[in-house]
Amino acid sequence: MNSLNSVILEGNVVRSPDMRETAKGTPICKFSVAINRWTQYREGMPQKEVSFFDVDAWGNLAKACAQSCEKGRGVRIVGRLKQNRWQDPEGKNKTRIVIVAEHVEFKPKFSLDAVAADDARQKNALQTRTDADSAAFADFSEAAAQAREEQIAAVF
């Protein structure tokens, strides 16, 4: 029985793809994808987290990626993880994990201004949520303090 090995990534192409062929003539297209994620840390300030992944596409999919992938273009990739292992000239074991694409969707092309506006919108939404959470906590804390004072007054 095979174990589950499936990934779905959505991000932007980092650089132009590298199209090659194997010794038997099978096309392979290699490209990298950057995935942006906004996270919230303890300080309450939104932080941008960027991850980079190498992607390999084979056969007809490789040809389509070579034609349509360009730096900055949004893509959605469905594929699997593959671990490559080798020894360097010094005899040290090396390893590298790549995404082997099984399906690639190309998003509409946008200008850099649109991407920057989307990042700003996501950051603002996270900050607004943080502010709302802080306000709700402050209201709760104030109500709890008032209830405590009422309980103490009732005892004495």
Side-chain angles (χ1 to χ4, degrees):
M1 179 170 88
N2 287 336
S3 298
L4 179 64
N5 180 359
S6 183
V7 295
I8 300 173
L9 303 171
E10 191 170 305
N12 297 316
V13 177
V14 176
R15 60 181 172 274
S16 297
D18 179 26
M19 181 70 169
R20 297 182 183 183
E21 287 188 358
T22 64
K24 293 183 179 181
T26 304
I28 179 171
C29 182
K30 295 176 177 273
F31 59 98
S32 295
V33 175
I35 298 170
N36 300 322
R37 179 174 182 261
W38 286 98
T39 59
Q40 180 178 341
Y41 289 94
R42 289 191 179 120
E43 298 84 33
M45 295 300 296
Q47 300 283 328
K48 187 175 184 178
E49 174 183 288
V50 182
S51 299
F52 296 91
F53 298 96
D54 293 324
V55 180
D56 292 349
W58 292 81
N60 289 333
L61 183 58
K63 293 176 184 177
C65 289
Q67 290 176 351
S68 300
C69 282
E70 58 187 47
K71 183 177 179 177
R73 179 115 191 231
V75 291
R76 179 178 297 135
I77 300 163
V78 177
R80 61 183 171 85
L81 297 174
K82 181 177 183 238
Q83 183 179 27
N84 296 324
R85 298 180 194 105
W86 71 95
Q87 283 189 340
D88 67 7
E90 298 169 356
K92 292 183 182 178
N93 291 330
K94 299 286 186 175
T95 185
R96 180 175 155 248
I97 295 177
V98 298
I99 310 300
V100 177
E102 296 168 354
H103 177 79
V104 177
E105 293 177 18
F106 303 100
K107 293 185 168 188
K109 296 178 184 178
F110 293 106
S111 69
L112 291 177
D113 293 336
V115 172
D118 186 50
D119 280 352
R121 189 172 36 260
Q122 289 179 12
K123 185 177 181 181
N124 187 29
L126 186 57
Q127 183 62 44
T128 302
R129 190 176 74 212
T130 302
D131 292 344
D133 290 347
S134 297
F137 181 73
D139 290 345
F140 175 76
S141 297
E142 186 177 312
Q146 189 175 16
R148 215 171 316 129
E149 288 177 13
E150 291 173 1
Q151 287 175 348
I152 293 172
V155 172
F156 294 107

